[in-house]
Amino acid sequence: MLSISALHANAGDKPILKGISLTVNPGEVHAIMGPNGSGKSTLAQVIAGHPGYEVTGGSITYMNQDLLELDPEERAQQGVFLAFQYPVEIPGVTNAYFLRSAYNEIRKAKGEEEVDPMEFLDLMEKKLKLVDMDPAMLHRSVNAGFSGGEKKRNEILQMAVLEPKLAILDETDSGLDIDALRIVADGVNALKRPDNATIVVTHYQRLLNYIVPDFVHVLAGGKIVKSGGKELALELEQRGYEWVMDAA
Amino acid sequence: MGDGRGVSMQTSMQTYTDAFAAASASGGSAPAWLTGLRRRAHDEFVATGFPTTRNEDWHFTSVTPIAERTFKTPKVGTGAASVTDALALAAGESGWPRAVFVNGRFDSALSALGALGKDIRVATLPDALTEGPDWVANHLGSLAAFDKQAFTAFNTAFVNDGLVVRVPKNVKAPAPLHIIHVADASAAGCVIHPRLLVVVDANAELAIVESFVSTGSAEYLTNAVAEVRIGEGARVHHYKVQRESAEAFHVGTLQAHQSRGSLFHSFSYATGAALSRTNIYTKLAGEGAEARLNGLYLVDGTQHVDHQTFVEHIAPNCSSRELYKGILDGASHGVFNGKVFVDPEAQKTDGKQTNHALLLSPQARVDTKPQLEIFADDVKCTHGATVGRLDAIALFYMKSRGIGADAARALLTYAFAAEVLETVEIDSLKDALEAIAFQRFTNQVQR
Ligand SMILES: Nc1ncnc2c1ncn2[C@@H]1O[C@H](COP(=O)(O)OP(=O)(O)OP(=O)(O)O)[C@@H](O)[C@H]1O
Ligand SMILES: [Mg+2]
């Protein structure tokens, strides 16, 4: 589904990703862990198509096409979804309008018919339940004035509505209380299908009790320095990152 | 004239003076007070001439293109606009009472004022002069000062057709009064001087929607003047919708005068004209009066759009709120000059002025000049201005959800405008203005 090979990327003149290779198959859950500033969000943003990063080497293939050739909206229309570490506030655009626009654009891209506001509200009712969100939030501006946890939940709501093939969750668990963490994890698990895949970026093995990864990767200094099974997360929790980086 | 327009300007002045003489000779039936008013305005206009950019009030707006042309008086009865044209262009409901002016002349066939009810007096200026009520003689020209205001003097010198409205004490107008100024192809090369006098007595209420529209792409000058006298506890809403032809010039001045406890609410929407200037002036002359001045303009190409507001706080305990937003694409130029004056008597004044501009292209620019002159010590007056571009991160966020670049830009642009459109209190008008705005953003982003 996703194949990243020797990926190098800069922010301005500064090299951040220094040769990342990663393969994700349908049905898999990958966890990416690693110290602050190691490049986890950069990797996620590059996959989503953030214009602020320049890919200087390597490739990303997604569903047999060159992902780097696609605009961010085309990537989304083809099933790539990034839950932002820092969700963006858009004052003046309601959540409902935003979500419906996104939903319809993605439907259009798939050759499906657009839904009208009434149909969409019906759909929203189910999705709101999934993430246990107050319907009143739909009529507020996107993320504007939302608490940290509400923003994260809103990201999962968007994911639930857009039903991506490849979901990347960038520290969606940070800032969530224990109940919310559970809700978010349940939401992610409920959306899991054999033909889609998830990449979770996290600092906490706690989340991985709920969203059980098939693979855990350690990203440090812009490279994946170690990969393993779910037990690697436990080991990292106990021993920290130093031993991995020393060994690398 | 340092800007090299001296010769052509003198020629145009001479032409206007000749036109004034001709009009004076033919218009024999006008009452003496009016001929005197016109004469004084004419002399003032000739003495002052069109403003140059050395005039502080016109620093960012050069009216050279107006000054160097010589605009003719439109021929009577040349208008060929149909009511469908006029109504389709003007953003209002067809059931509203309406006064339609075509190329500056009242068109009784296109107008329908019955819905205003019998309590409210409304007449064209010529009809009012025939009837001769004192209030018209007393108030016309009493608010819109023409000394040092060349365009107001120009209008007053040629004041002829127009509308006068009086809402008696305690009467609430049942529907907005829609005044539609249509310029059609035969307006080319002409100057149109719309004139409006509104007197709203104590505790009465009136909403006016004044639309300036064009059925073609003619080059003409609209030079409008409105005077609005607001009695104690009265409420007046004035919506100006400026959608002149792309080649047109538009100067519009509104001067309000507010008594104790009154409300003046103005909304200026501007999308048209090659060069436009809107002046919204109000004098808060009675204690506890409130002024709300808002506006939204959307321009592109080489359009130039200028708003000047002047809020005179004369009495204590008054408040003024101003919010103007501009969206500029292409190589357009926006100007906002907000003046606030607080008299030593006007203690406890609460004034706030905000101006935001959104630049959609690298060539678009905006000049903002707040001017606060405060002579009372116990006042709260603030002003704030921003000039920004579409938020690249917000755009990326939307794209990352599958929303295309054009739609994302349109949505963010719309979001920028939404706050000020919310101040339009007539729902159908708000929807119509929203639709016009949205259409414009979509066109813009498709380029
Ligand atoms: N636009 C930018 N300009 C300059 N440096 C940048 C930019 N974006 C990211 N960086 C730098 O790149 C490095 C990696 O950042 P990134 O956000 O990918 O880290 P991360 O692994 O997600 O960290 P965290 O765990 O704290 O979220 C950091 O040193 C960061 O300061
Ligand atoms: Mg990060």
Side-chain angles (χ1 to χ4, degrees):
Chain A
M1 170 174 267
L2 180 76
S3 166
I4 302 174
S5 160
L7 183 70
H8 287 71
N10 286 5
D13 290 338
K14 187 180 167 195
I16 314 242
L17 303 184
K18 299 167 185 167
I20 290 194
S21 296
L22 177 69
T23 301
V24 178
N25 295 306
E28 291 176 354
V29 175
H30 290 243
I32 296 180
M33 304 182 79
N36 292 132
S38 60
K40 302 179 298 294
S41 293
T42 303
L43 175 62
Q45 300 273 5
V46 167
I47 296 172
H50 192 296
Y53 299 97
E54 189 199 351
V55 174
T56 53
S59 65
I60 307 181
T61 309
Y62 170 70
M63 309 230 300
N64 304 318
Q65 28 176 357
D66 182 356
L67 186 76
L68 298 173
E69 283 295 306
L70 303 179
D71 287 333
E73 59 271 33
E74 292 171 324
R75 299 181 194 195
Q77 288 160 7
Q78 298 193 26
V80 176
F81 179 90
L82 168 63
F84 283 50
Q85 181 175 3
Y86 304 108
V88 178
E89 300 191 2
I90 314 179
V93 177
T94 65
N95 234 348
Y97 193 88
F98 175 64
L99 271 169
R100 183 158 53 84
S101 303
Y103 184 69
N104 278 332
E105 291 274 350
I106 287 175
R107 283 183 72 93
K108 257 196 295 190
K110 287 194 212 153
E112 294 168 12
E113 247 177 70
E114 295 184 38
V115 299
D116 64 37
M118 290 316 292
E119 285 174 82
F120 186 70
L121 279 182
D122 285 347
L123 171 86
M124 287 309 295
E125 221 172 290
K126 295 189 207 90
K127 303 293 184 182
L128 282 164
K129 277 204 192 100
L130 196 66
V131 294
D132 192 27
M133 203 157 112
D134 181 353
M137 303 290 264
L138 284 182
H139 304 292
R140 284 173 55 180
S141 289
V142 179
N143 294 325
F146 285 27
S147 77
E150 286 168 346
K151 284 182 182 171
K152 296 300 176 84
R153 235 184 260 207
N154 204 25
E155 294 291 286
I156 299 305
L157 174 69
Q158 293 174 27
M159 175 177 153
V161 172
L162 303 180
E163 298 186 324
K165 289 202 176 67
L166 173 67
I168 305 157
L169 311 182
D170 189 359
E171 293 199 29
T172 304
D173 52 334
S174 300
L176 289 182
D177 62 43
I178 295 167
D179 291 341
L181 185 72
R182 227 211 149 97
I183 290 161
V184 165
D186 287 349
V188 172
N189 288 330
L191 297 167
K192 206 178 155 193
R193 294 202 318 244
D195 62 343
N196 62 20
T198 310
I199 298 174
V200 284
V201 175
T202 183
H203 286 294
Y204 307 106
Q205 111 82 24
R206 190 181 61 174
L207 176 71
L208 304 178
N209 289 335
Y210 300 110
I211 304 174
V212 183
D214 300 298
F215 301 94
V216 175
H217 310 276
V218 180
L219 210 162
K223 286 185 194 152
I224 290 180
V225 293
K226 191 168 179 67
S227 296
K230 62 171 188 270
E231 62 294 334
L232 177 58
L234 277 173
E235 198 172 355
L236 290 168
E237 178 119 309
Q238 279 155 16
R239 300 177 58 186
Y241 289 117
E242 239 162 73
W243 66 276
V244 195
M245 284 149 85
D246 290 346
Chain B
M1 297 291 104
D3 46 9
R5 70 186 199 211
V7 174
S8 60
M9 199 178 130
Q10 269 162 18
T11 344
S12 71
M13 268 304 165
Q14 188 56 50
T15 311
Y16 296 136
T17 296
D18 293 347
F20 179 78
S24 309
S26 66
S29 64
W33 66 265
L34 184 59
T35 49
L37 180 70
R38 284 178 183 147
R39 165 62 58 192
R40 290 197 305 281
H42 167 265
D43 294 350
E44 191 68 44
F45 176 51
V46 171
T48 317
F50 287 106
T52 69
T53 50
R54 276 167 297 165
N55 178 332
E56 209 188 353
D57 283 352
W58 295 86
H59 185 62
F60 297 109
T61 297
S62 166
V63 299
T64 300
I66 296 174
E68 69 187 13
R69 282 168 174 75
T70 304
F71 294 99
K72 303 182 303 258
T73 306
K75 290 204 173 60
V76 180
T78 51
S82 76
V83 71
T84 18
D85 289 343
L87 288 177
L89 287 162
E93 291 177 30
S94 57
W96 290 349
R98 65 171 180 270
V100 181
F101 291 81
V102 179
N103 302 336
R105 293 284 169 172
F106 182 73
D107 188 320
S108 57
L110 300 186
S111 302
L113 287 160
L116 212 47
K118 60 176 179 5
D119 291 333
I120 296 173
R121 277 170 275 165
V122 53
T124 65
L125 188 56
D127 286 352
L129 293 176
T130 311
E131 288 165 34
D134 285 347
W135 64 272
V136 175
N138 291 342
H139 294 310
L140 193 79
S142 71
L143 296 183
F146 51 74
D147 55 317
K148 300 187 192 72
Q149 296 275 358
F151 284 96
T152 301
F154 191 17
N155 174 292
T156 309
F158 289 94
V159 64
N160 188 341
D161 214 338
L163 202 71
V164 299
V165 185
R166 175 111 191 222
V167 187
K169 206 160 88 175
N170 299 327
V171 170
K172 274 192 165 55
L177 168 59
H178 199 182
I179 304 170
I180 306 173
H181 304 276
V182 192
D184 68 11
S186 60
C190 295
V191 53
I192 299 163
H193 294 290
R195 186 83 189 198
L196 174 65
L197 170 66
V198 178
V199 179
V200 178
D201 292 334
N203 301 314
E205 180 160 7
L206 176 68
I208 294 173
V209 178
E210 204 174 2
S211 297
F212 296 85
V213 299
S214 169
T215 56
S217 56
E219 182 189 288
Y220 55 87
L221 166 64
T222 296
N223 178 34
V225 173
E227 296 173 283
V228 182
R229 199 172 273 279
I230 309 172
E232 283 194 11
R235 301 167 70 85
V236 172
H237 310 261
H238 182 272
Y239 296 92
K240 171 178 174 178
V241 182
Q242 188 273 96
R243 300 179 71 199
E244 303 273 21
S245 101
E247 301 295 321
F249 304 100
H250 175 103
V251 179
T253 298
L254 185 152
Q255 175 72 61
H257 183 277
Q258 300 186 240
S259 299
R260 175 189 295 267
S262 67
L263 168 75
F264 176 56
H265 166 207
S266 154
F267 186 89
S268 167
Y269 186 83
T271 61
L275 187 163
S276 73
R277 165 69 170 251
T278 290
N279 298 320
I280 305 286
Y281 303 150
T282 189
K283 188 181 268 187
L284 296 148
E287 190 162 358
E290 180 188 351
R292 286 186 222 148
L293 314 182
N294 302 310
L296 173 66
Y297 62 86
L298 304 110
V299 283
D300 62 6
T302 55
Q303 281 183 287
H304 179 101
V305 56
D306 180 356
H307 278 85
Q308 184 179 62
T309 62
F310 184 31
V311 179
E312 278 178 281
H313 282 273
I314 303 296
N317 286 308
C318 293
S319 73
S320 57
R321 287 282 172 281
E322 297 182 62
L323 174 63
Y324 285 83
K325 288 199 172 190
I327 298 170
L328 301 102
D329 203 353
S332 61
H333 184 193
V335 178
F336 179 78
N337 174 205
K339 299 204 279 187
V340 178
F341 171 87
V342 181
D343 190 88
E345 296 294 308
Q347 297 294 2
K348 307 273 182 208
T349 286
D350 176 5
K352 185 175 180 199
Q353 180 187 101
T354 315
N355 172 244
H356 299 299
L358 175 64
L359 305 182
L360 295 178
S361 86
Q363 291 81 33
R365 66 201 169 95
V366 66
D367 287 296
T368 299
K369 187 170 139 191
Q371 274 174 278
L372 272 52
E373 286 185 72
I374 300 170
F375 298 102
D377 46 27
D378 186 12
V379 302
K380 201 167 70 193
C381 277
T382 63
H383 69 87
T386 62
V387 179
R389 298 183 185 278
L390 289 180
D391 179 354
I393 298 302
L395 279 176
F396 170 60
Y397 187 63
M398 296 176 118
K399 289 185 200 171
S400 80
R401 299 308 184 239
I403 299 174
D406 289 351
R409 278 170 56 103
L411 209 53
L412 279 188
T413 308
Y414 172 75
F416 172 82
E419 178 191 14
V420 70
L421 280 170
E422 280 306 313
T423 65
V424 174
E425 292 178 10
I426 304 170
D427 285 342
S428 62
L429 181 65
K430 181 168 78 186
D431 292 348
L433 298 182
E434 251 172 25
I436 297 166
F438 208 87
Q439 196 184 8
R440 222 180 143 101
F441 307 146
T442 331
N443 290 343
Q444 278 171 340
V445 296
Q446 276 166 358
R447 251 192 282 117

